[in-house]
Each structure stands twice: as C-alpha cells, then as structure tokens.
Amino acid sequence: MAKITYIEHNGTEHQIDVKNGMTVMEGARDNGIPGIEADCGGACACSTCHVYVDPAWTDRVPSMEPMEEDMLDFAYEVDPNTSRLSCQIKVKDELDGLVVRMPERQI
C-alpha cells in the first residue's frame, strides 16, 4: 500500500492510502477525488486522468509507454517533464509518498 497525495488545481490536498496493484487513477476515482474524470475507465483511451507528477518523483514512477505518450497529446497544458496519465501508474510500495497535481481542467 502507498500513501498518495493528490493536489487539486486550487491547492486542496487529499492523502489517500491506495492498495498495491491499483492505479493512481483508481485511487482517486474510488475515493471521490475531484479533478480526475477518468472517462475511459483506465483503458488509456482518453486524457481525462492527466496529472503532473511532482518533480521529486518523476524518475521513480514507471516509464511511459508509447500509447500513453500519444494520448497525452490530447491533454490540457501538458508539461513534457511531469505530465502523466494516472491510469498508467500502477501503485506499489515504492510509490509511498507520491505526490500528483491535477491540471486546471481535463479535456
């Protein structure tokens, strides 16, 4: 299990314990965290679970697959260094303390 901090665009923080094997998106969805819409349910077929991974964590999350990279082309205000789709980040013990920020909006 890992404690993930989700920070809304307005600065509101939510610390959630997310079970290993789930995704960062599922943790947000299952706990009613605003700012992650997850329209495709985690199939990497949209960009509505876009987050900014805190720079201290960018080298510790799993690398991005080409499909995720392609879907990020449709996300709002992508940052080439920190943008990720939260449906593609699987939770594991090593991600305990992960911090993600939501963009102003999802598209």
Side-chain angles (χ1 to χ4, degrees), residues 2 4 6 14-19 21-33 36 86-87 89 91:
I4 311 288
Y6 300 86
H14 307 268
Q15 286 192 338
I16 305 295
D17 289 323
V18 182
K19 292 180 181 175
M22 294 182 71
T23 64
V24 172
M25 178 276 294
E26 291 169 325
R29 180 198 62 201
D30 293 355
N31 289 281
I33 306 298
I36 295 181
S86 59
C87 71
I89 304 172
V91 174

Side-chain angles (χ1 to χ4, degrees), residues 23-72:
T23 64
V24 172
M25 178 276 294
E26 291 169 325
R29 180 198 62 201
D30 293 355
N31 289 281
I33 306 298
I36 295 181
E37 297 171 12
D39 288 345
C40 74
C44 198
C46 72
S47 64
T48 61
C49 68
H50 173 223
V51 295
Y52 303 110
V53 173
D54 187 273
W57 285 90
T58 55
D59 291 337
R60 297 195 263 176
V61 294
S63 8
M64 191 181 313
E65 297 289 329
M67 187 163 66
E68 178 182 1
E69 193 171 343
D70 289 345
M71 290 312 308
L72 276 171

